[in-house]
Amino acid sequence: MTLFDGIYPFYPQQRKAAGFDISTIIVIVVFLTLACSFLLIIPGIRGRARLYWTLRVLLSLFVGVVIVVVQFTGDWETGWVQANTSYKSFSPAQVNADIGLHIGLAGVNITLRGNPVRQINETIDYNEHFPWNFGADYDHSYSQGLQKGLPSPILYVAEKFTAQSPCAVHRQYRIAGHYASAMLWVAFCTWIISNILFSMPVLIYGGYMLLVTGAFMIFSLLSFSTVRNSPMCLIQIGTRTLHVAYGGSFWLMVAIGLICFVAGITIVAVHHLNLDLLKTFFDLREDKAEEHQEMPEVFINPHVMNKNLSPSQPSEINGI
């Protein structure tokens, strides 16, 4: 036997356990830092405006973090099945395991977890990622999985999404994920613009940009939904069939898109129906602005002014 890429062929391979996505953690930490920074300064805001500021800022940050995070999640479509299946090629050994399929915008994650985890003297706990975003080679990742000797259920499911597979879904998922991601980045930009307009303040245009943000979210959902136009091949594992359905990220985007639509329509409607109420919510009342613009009263002692005036200049202050 010769050493190939640090691995001896036909020997048990080092297993890859499920882990956290680093990009998702970084995005969440950044937005949590912004939220905590705001909570530190919120005691300095007095009165009912403190509640309005808290509601607006936290809701806005929640929308922003969702737009970014869902681009790195792998549960736009998900499916699970528990079945008795072969574990390795050319081996009659059967294992009972949960097989999970998690489809995201940038690729697919396939999980395999034994019931129990320890079977046939091995720990069965895998989470393998196969990317298909532009710049990545899905078929190359699949070939690497073959070389590493991944378990048969993972390779079987991954093979369904290769470019050469008779299922012919690789191109649809790749293009749909690419355009859905592009729409979400545009939505993130319009979300930033809406916050800038609210702070200028140009409230009605901020409401319009919220509507645009919600529209691009819906466009991303429609773009990803186009993969349903192509029938999905049956994924038969043992005697069970793995079915996929829309996952948490998809329905979260539906909810956030509707929230942006409702918030945008509400701001535009209140701007035309009751502008004072809208300014109160955004802490932009006219009486507060007039306080800052009002000049302070100046009291002048007329006797002092008379002494400073020359005798040839008439004194008009005495008539005040």
Side-chain angles (χ1 to χ4, degrees):
M1 296 294 179
T2 59
L3 191 66
F4 179 74
D5 289 340
I7 299 173
Y8 288 101
F10 308 113
Y11 281 82
Q13 311 297 320
Q14 184 179 4
R15 287 167 293 276
K16 179 180 179 181
F20 293 99
D21 185 85
I22 301 300
S23 301
T24 302
I25 296 176
I26 292 175
V27 173
I28 293 176
V29 168
V30 169
F31 278 87
L32 283 178
T33 302
L34 294 175
C36 293
S37 300
F38 171 75
L39 293 178
L40 291 177
I41 65 174
I42 196 65
I45 303 176
R46 299 180 178 179
R48 190 177 297 177
R50 179 186 304 172
L51 176 63
Y52 296 154
W53 271 95
T54 303
L55 180 62
R56 293 199 316 268
V57 172
L58 294 184
L59 181 60
S60 179
L61 288 177
F62 180 70
V63 171
V65 71
V66 169
I67 294 175
V68 179
V69 164
V70 294
Q71 305 214 41
F72 306 104
T73 56
D75 59 344
W76 282 70
E77 283 186 342
T78 58
W80 283 94
V81 67
Q82 182 178 354
N84 293 317
T85 178
S86 61
Y87 181 59
K88 293 181 180 180
S89 301
F90 311 109
S91 174
Q94 296 276 320
V95 297
N96 184 273
D98 291 323
I99 299 96
L101 176 61
H102 312 276
I103 301 174
L105 300 182
V108 58
N109 276 63
I110 303 172
T111 60
L112 177 68
R113 185 177 179 84
N115 290 313
V117 176
R118 188 72 180 177
Q119 297 184 51
I120 58 173
N121 296 324
E122 291 192 25
T123 300
I124 305 175
D125 189 6
Y126 291 83
N127 178 31
E128 297 295 329
H129 179 68
F130 300 90
W132 57 45
N133 56 303
F134 288 168
D137 190 343
Y138 183 93
D139 290 347
H140 179 67
S141 299
Y142 175 72
S143 298
Q144 287 182 328
L146 288 173
Q147 294 175 3
K148 290 190 296 184
L150 293 177
S152 297
I154 293 180
L155 295 175
Y156 170 72
V157 176
E159 190 273 336
K160 298 290 184 180
F161 296 91
T162 59
Q164 292 79 20
S165 173
C167 294
V169 295
H170 174 80
R171 185 171 181 270
Q172 286 84 349
Y173 271 105
R174 187 182 188 188
I175 295 177
H178 174 74
Y179 282 105
S181 178
M183 293 292 179
L184 288 177
W185 282 121
V186 176
F188 181 71
C189 294
T190 57
W191 169 79
I192 294 177
I193 295 174
S194 68
N195 284 278
I196 294 174
L197 293 174
F198 284 137
S199 62
M200 287 181 63
V202 191
L203 302 182
I204 188 169
Y205 294 108
Y208 289 149
M209 292 309 298
L210 270 183
L211 291 175
V212 174
T213 302
F216 277 105
M217 292 182 186
I218 300 301
F219 291 157
S220 69
L221 296 173
L222 294 176
S223 175
F224 185 80
S225 299
T226 56
V227 297
R228 292 296 179 127
N229 296 332
S230 300
M232 183 69 180
C233 290
L234 288 179
I235 303 177
Q236 196 77 25
I237 301 177
T239 59
R240 307 292 298 276
T241 302
L242 194 156
H243 299 282
V244 295
Y246 291 128
S249 293
F250 184 90
W251 295 116
L252 182 60
M253 284 302 303
V254 172
I256 296 300
L258 293 177
I259 289 176
C260 288
F261 269 119
V262 172
I265 292 174
T266 302
I267 291 173
V268 174
V270 174
H271 181 273
H272 292 289
L273 298 177
N274 193 341
L275 183 58
D276 291 336
L277 177 62
L278 186 63
K279 289 184 176 181
T280 300
F281 181 76
F282 281 90
D283 198 22
L284 299 172
R285 293 167 297 178
E286 292 182 358
D287 55 346
K288 185 175 181 179
E290 290 177 356
E291 290 179 3
H292 295 284
Q293 296 178 358
E294 185 177 355
M295 295 295 295
E297 295 183 3
V298 179
F299 298 94
I300 301 175
N301 190 336
H303 299 288
V304 175
M305 293 299 298
N306 286 333
K307 293 180 181 179
N308 292 334
L309 290 175
S310 60
S312 59
Q313 293 176 341
S315 176
E316 296 180 0
I317 301 181
N318 293 327
I320 298 179

